Amino acid sequence: MTLALGIDVGTTATKALVIDDDGRIVAETERRSELISPHPGWAEEDPAQWWSNVTSLAADLPLGEVSAVGVSGMVPCVICLDEHGAPLRRSIQQNDARAVDEVDELAAELADRDLLARTGSPITQQSVAPTARWLAGNEPEIWAATRTILGSYDFIAHRLTGERAVESNWALESGLFDLRAGGWAHDVCEAAGIDEDRLPPVRSSSEVVGTVTAEASRATGLPEGIPVVAGSADHVASAFAAGLIEDGDLLVKLGGAGDILLSTDDVLVDERLYLDFHLVPGRYLPNGCMAASGSLIRW
């Protein structure tokens, strides 16, 4: 029997399960994560807590028998890594609202660039460009030391493999990815002050980004050398698991955030919606999202 480990870096908890090759759940567990708001409108988390959660999973799961790993998580949070791959600060979450002025500034500066059609979404507080400009203006030492920007599940994949990459839905939801060109939007990155060297390669969800290193094996109990795939945005993965596959399929999902997702065969953009890549190649997931839904109940 072949076992695979799935890890989800959620807003309120790090969840994990082991499944067999028939898709049956063998074991599952979770560890709580803390959302930190040092100022009104701010939303941060500690990537070290996510990694600590992952390293504690062996107490509940048969990790020594696992032969592959995939990681999902919330998008598009921003984690700044230094040259050694260590986080320089807490993550800035996708529901963070500090960059209000920067959203307005960039929307005005790039008003003639047809960003909705090119990137799939307008510039909002969830976009990475305003966050980057806020960091440059308010935490210049952090920004100057930043060598790589990663998302939540990309960070865990990095800790497991030592490789730096972002999954395609982090890239798309960041607002920095040009759908037409199939790569980073140079003008948006330039306006935000993002050196594209800070943006790692984009990997599709099923693409192997690397293998579990000896160091990660010692820390987690996972076998050294097993493959780790790029994974997926959490809502995209849950939509697929719920059966959202064919063109026209619709899902209403409530978690820390709330989503309405539609499966389409063609790119569908609307300034009121976000756009994601479907896990089925060639399909898309336009969706409406409220960043605070289930999390309000806990609050």
Side-chain angles (χ1 to χ4, degrees):
M1 181 172 62
T2 302
L3 299 181
L5 171 67
I7 301 169
D8 178 63
V9 184
T11 303
T12 56
T14 304
K15 299 173 283 291
L17 56 79
V18 173
I19 60 173
D20 64 18
D21 40 19
D22 290 322
R24 293 177 299 221
I25 296 175
V26 174
E28 58 186 317
T29 190
E30 69 176 57
R31 303 286 188 272
R32 183 171 179 174
S33 296
E34 181 184 5
L35 185 65
I36 302 166
S37 185
H39 303 284
W42 288 32
E44 301 181 346
E45 294 203 6
D46 185 358
Q49 184 181 47
W50 303 337
W51 179 242
S52 176
N53 287 344
V54 171
T55 61
S56 70
L57 296 176
D60 299 326
L61 304 176
L63 299 190
E65 303 170 39
V66 166
S67 58
V69 182
V71 190
S72 66
M74 63 278 191
V75 287
C77 85
V78 173
I79 301 170
C80 298
L81 302 185
D82 66 15
E83 60 183 326
H84 304 295
L88 289 160
R89 68 176 325 282
R90 292 192 294 257
S91 69
I92 298 179
Q93 297 295 104
Q94 68 282 352
N95 56 340
D96 186 279
R98 75 187 67 190
V100 177
D101 293 338
E102 290 78 7
V103 168
D104 292 340
E105 292 166 4
L106 284 165
E109 292 171 22
L110 298 169
D112 61 345
R113 306 301 174 89
D114 197 16
L115 292 185
L116 182 61
R118 288 174 55 207
T119 68
S121 62
I123 295 176
T124 69
Q125 71 176 43
Q126 187 162 307
S127 306
V128 171
T131 299
R133 179 174 282 194
W134 185 93
L135 284 165
N138 293 273
E139 297 181 1
E141 293 182 359
I142 294 291
W143 187 241
T146 299
R147 294 294 174 266
T148 308
I149 301 171
L150 292 181
S152 61
Y153 52 112
D154 308 306
F155 173 72
I156 296 301
H158 165 65
R159 289 301 306 264
L160 290 171
T161 66
E163 302 293 333
R164 304 188 193 197
V166 289
E167 189 264 332
S168 57
N169 276 310
W170 185 95
L172 184 54
E173 287 212 20
S174 73
L176 303 174
F177 188 81
D178 193 320
L179 279 164
R180 295 173 178 173
W184 300 115
H186 307 303
D187 53 344
V188 181
C189 293
E190 182 179 9
I194 300 174
D195 186 334
E196 289 182 44
D197 289 343
R198 290 172 169 161
L199 298 172
V202 178
R203 306 298 188 197
S204 62
S205 58
S206 60
E207 190 172 352
V208 175
V209 298
T211 59
V212 172
T213 64
E215 180 182 1
S217 176
R218 289 191 295 271
T220 63
L222 286 164
E224 181 181 354
I226 63 172
V228 178
V229 298
S232 174
D234 53 4
H235 61 292
V236 174
S238 64
F240 182 76
L244 199 73
I245 297 174
E246 302 298 333
D247 181 62
D249 287 348
L250 181 74
L251 173 70
V252 177
K253 180 186 76 66
L254 293 176
D259 303 276
I260 301 176
L261 304 104
L262 176 69
S263 176
T264 65
D265 287 339
D266 301 305
V267 172
L268 174 63
V269 296
D270 187 300
E271 65 181 5
R272 298 165 297 179
L273 303 177
Y274 295 105
L275 180 68
D276 288 290
F277 292 113
H278 202 295
L279 293 188
V280 176
R283 291 189 179 140
Y284 302 88
L285 283 176
N287 61 90
C289 174
M290 293 178 61
S293 291
S295 56
L296 289 176
I297 297 173
R298 172 172 286 184
W299 179 84

